[in-house]
Amino acid sequence: MELILSTKNERVKNWKKLHSKKGRQKAGTYLIEGFHLIEEALKNHAVILEMMISEEIAFEDIPQFDEEKQVEISTEIAKLLSETETSQGIFAVIQKIDLIEKPVLNKPFLLLDNVQDPGNVGTMVRTADAAGFGGVVLGIGSVDLYNSKVLRSMQGSHFHLPIYQGDLNEWFDLFFEHGFPVYGTELNEEAVSYRAIEPQSVYGLVMGNEGNGMSAELLKRTTKNLYIPIVGQAESLNVAVAAGVVMFSLTKAE
């Protein structure tokens, strides 16, 4: 196994650049950290270009992977690469997947309109995975899928279902062309309780920005706008919590 000890090594500098969106876009790769995410990547046949393992990790704990692509790194490098408080000392460089072709609509899809909090996006992707969704679309203005906090929150769910990025108007067009509804989530005079909607197999669900909600442009195009009745004294729900409630309620059990 190759050994790199210096934080000034050129490859280390390139790995560090993957912490930024610009660096990820330029390289076409992203960085994951921790045993769980790496095991998910291996299990789901993600394209792993390199695996970096801290010198402190015992040999028997290293995941089964091509030794020629494994690099042993110093504890100092591991600290430099880590974006967690307690690093596990293992990292991998993964090839990004840019999905271009639109999917076959046979399951619900979650559409995120300018959702910017990484934890919220990651949690919603993970919930969509758990609810059996066909995919997630990150609309313009939403946080980058490969942000390290998003990756940690998803817990590997981006390996389980396709995640697209693009203009949500085009996705509205796709759903409407095939006769499927797209539901917004905005409390206004025309909104109905999510409980009034019968569970169904295929639909689009839009969750909006944490502070400003959905864009006015998209709101005008939705089939219906839904709200969650609040019986306690809280003013509102966190967007990821609200998404979970609606996703599991609206999706028809197979």
Side-chain angles (χ1 to χ4, degrees):
M1 188 188 302
E2 184 180 357
L3 175 64
I4 298 178
L5 299 175
S6 173
T7 57
K8 295 181 180 179
N9 182 282
E10 200 61 34
R11 286 172 70 187
V12 175
K13 292 178 182 178
N14 288 333
W15 296 332
K16 180 69 175 174
K17 289 177 182 177
L18 298 180
H19 286 164
S20 73
K21 182 177 180 179
K22 182 179 178 181
R24 293 189 291 269
Q25 287 178 331
K26 185 175 180 179
T29 59
Y30 64 99
L31 191 69
I32 60 173
E33 174 180 355
F35 283 99
H36 175 70
L37 279 182
I38 288 172
E39 286 165 1
E40 285 294 318
L42 288 167
K43 188 165 61 178
N44 291 280
H45 309 292
V47 180
I48 301 175
L49 302 178
E50 295 177 289
M51 187 182 294
M52 297 84 81
I53 303 151
S54 172
E55 57 191 345
E56 294 182 338
I57 293 178
F59 181 80
E60 60 269 18
D61 292 335
I62 298 173
Q64 294 294 316
F65 182 64
D66 185 351
E67 287 190 15
E68 291 184 4
K69 295 181 180 179
Q70 292 181 1
V71 182
E72 185 176 1
I73 57 176
S74 64
T75 304
E76 192 177 7
I77 293 173
K79 288 179 180 177
L80 179 71
L81 295 179
S82 178
E83 293 200 305
T84 64
E85 290 185 14
T86 53
S87 173
Q88 295 180 350
I90 186 166
F91 311 83
V93 177
I94 311 290
Q95 185 75 53
K96 285 174 64 177
I97 297 176
D98 293 318
L99 299 173
I100 299 173
E101 293 185 8
K102 296 295 188 291
V104 175
L105 298 180
N106 56 8
K107 292 182 178 181
F109 271 72
L110 178 64
L111 315 178
L112 302 184
D113 179 25
N114 195 29
V115 183
Q116 297 175 349
D117 182 270
N120 284 337
V121 170
T123 299
M124 285 191 280
V125 170
R126 189 177 176 187
T127 306
D129 180 16
F133 270 45
V136 178
V137 185
L138 301 181
I140 296 167
S142 293
V143 68
D144 181 40
L145 172 65
Y146 301 108
N147 174 290
S148 62
K149 291 181 181 178
V150 176
L151 290 169
R152 289 199 298 275
S153 295
M154 290 191 294
Q155 287 290 299
S157 281
H158 69 298
F159 295 127
H160 307 159
L161 77 171
I163 302 180
Y164 300 82
Q165 302 184 58
D167 186 344
L168 294 189
N169 274 298
E170 296 178 4
W171 286 82
F172 273 58
D173 293 341
L174 183 67
F175 274 84
F176 294 153
E177 282 170 13
H178 289 82
F180 297 122
V182 177
Y183 297 110
T185 46
E186 183 86 3
L187 182 56
N188 55 37
E189 291 181 359
E190 297 179 355
V192 300
S193 168
Y194 75 99
R195 296 188 179 116
I197 306 299
E198 288 293 321
Q200 47 210 275
S201 299
V202 184
Y203 63 91
L205 175 66
V206 187
M207 302 304 298
N209 177 270
E210 292 87 348
N212 301 316
M214 288 177 57
S215 70
E217 179 187 9
L218 292 177
L219 270 174
K220 293 176 183 176
R221 301 193 63 195
T222 55
T223 305
K224 278 192 182 303
N225 288 314
L226 312 179
Y227 71 91
I228 299 173
I230 293 177
V231 297
Q233 297 183 49
E235 289 185 4
S236 62
L237 291 174
N238 168 276
V239 65
V241 173
V245 170
V246 179
M247 280 192 276
F248 275 96
S249 175
L250 258 59
T251 304
K252 191 172 185 178
E254 296 296 330

